[in-house]
Amino acid sequence: MELYITALRGVIEQSGFIALTGGNLIMLLVSFVLLYLAIVKGFEPLLLLPIAFGCLLVNLPLSGILDPGGFLYFVKFGIDHEIYPIIIFMGIGALTDFGPLLANPITFLLGAAAQLGVFVAVIGAMLMGFTIQQAAGIGIIGGADGPTAIYLCAKLARDILPAVAVAAYSYMSLVPLIQPPVINLLTTKADRAIKMEQLRPVSRIERVLFPIISTLACGLILPAAVPLIGMLMFGNLLRESGCTERLSLAAQNEVLNATTIFLGISVGATMNAESFLRIETIKIITLGLAAFIFSTAGGVIFGQMLKIATRGKVNPIIGAAGVSAVPMAARVCQKVVQKEFPGSYILMHAMGPNVAGVIGTAVAAGAMLTLLTK
């Protein structure tokens, strides 16, 4: 009997219950909330579910899963060395149709205008006491581009990476909740009723030349953005070349899906109680929301300017799609219009600024890297 009690005591003393802290309990609760949002509410489940489960794993004490030699220690290599975000960009490029952007090049400007929140958040972060490098990492949340946010933070401000990654992906998943009120505030019913002309057909040669020319231009003007823009355009060239269908499908499916799993778990693995439960996290999440709102507003306001310049030919709502949450932001624009005018169809028009936003956010990140890397 005594031997049994001794063995039982040994099991209890080596169990995770003994080492469980209040911080672990809070983070486990956070992981449950994220799992609920992913599974029950359907908020970006492909990203949110791996992040939530990674958070759960890393907050189970004594597992050793994140210790040197542990499973997540090696999985995190891809996020610590900016590998996963770049591979994700290749997959995004393979999935992206730049046709709407090429058919209406003026929507490039909407993608640029929707980066307003990036710079608003940078200023706000500096006023709150963050360093300029940390402020840059926080500001990029306004681009609604999780891989770019992770890439930039891994380069400039690794200490705030957990909070920035969670904020970026959380707000990406909450696009359908955040954007409609901003759109409705900055547009009238008459604005939302504007019907746009059908886009012109885009030739195959245009589609093939675009990723090549974009890579050359970006690489020569802003070399720091080459890893992101270059792989985005490489993925798109696989799609548009017409001779690499197998590689394109692999980039869109197997490669992208596997990388998304490891990226999500790695992001979740950064959410241990010690690094996440800080006052800075609350500030970052607040600034991220402000960045996202201002980016949406910047796109819509510039859309209003284009509406005036084109004498009512541009529906200003498509400016909201300039944030690079592809294709969710474009779908939100379509839903806002269809709610009042069921016969209206602006989805393809909104896809122009939507894919321009991906390029715009990557360029903004490259500019920050150029200016702030020592």
Side-chain angles (χ1 to χ4, degrees), residues 28-53 166-167 169-178 271 285 328:
L28 287 173
L29 180 61
V30 169
S31 74
F32 297 153
V33 171
L34 295 178
L35 285 169
Y36 172 80
L37 293 175
I39 298 171
V40 179
K41 294 298 184 179
F43 289 163
E44 201 71 21
L46 297 182
L47 290 168
L48 214 53
L49 195 149
I51 290 173
F53 208 80
V166 171
Y169 280 114
S170 296
Y171 292 135
M172 282 175 64
S173 65
L174 294 174
V175 165
L177 296 179
I178 297 173
M271 296 171 62
I285 291 174
M328 194 183 304

Side-chain angles (χ1 to χ4, degrees), residues 80-102:
D80 290 338
H81 295 82
E82 307 98 41
I83 297 172
Y84 295 151
I86 293 174
I87 296 176
I88 292 284
F89 254 63
M90 179 183 69
I92 292 172
L95 285 168
T96 300
D97 179 6
F98 284 110
L101 178 62
L102 295 172

Side-chain angles (χ1 to χ4, degrees), residues 100-101 104-117 142-143 179 187 196 199 294-310 313-324 329 333 346 348-361:
L101 178 62
N104 192 9
I106 199 170
T107 54
F108 262 115
L109 300 177
L110 292 172
Q115 306 307 311
L116 173 65
Q179 284 201 312
T187 60
M196 298 181 66
L199 294 172
F294 274 97
S295 287
T296 301
V300 177
I301 291 170
F302 197 84
Q304 292 283 16
M305 296 179 185
L306 286 184
K307 180 195 73 175
I308 295 171
T310 60
K313 293 182 179 180
V314 172
N315 188 321
I317 284 181
I318 68 172
V323 299
S324 57
C333 294
I346 63 166
M348 293 309 297
H349 296 280
M351 283 302 299
N354 206 184
V355 297
V358 178
I359 299 172
T361 304

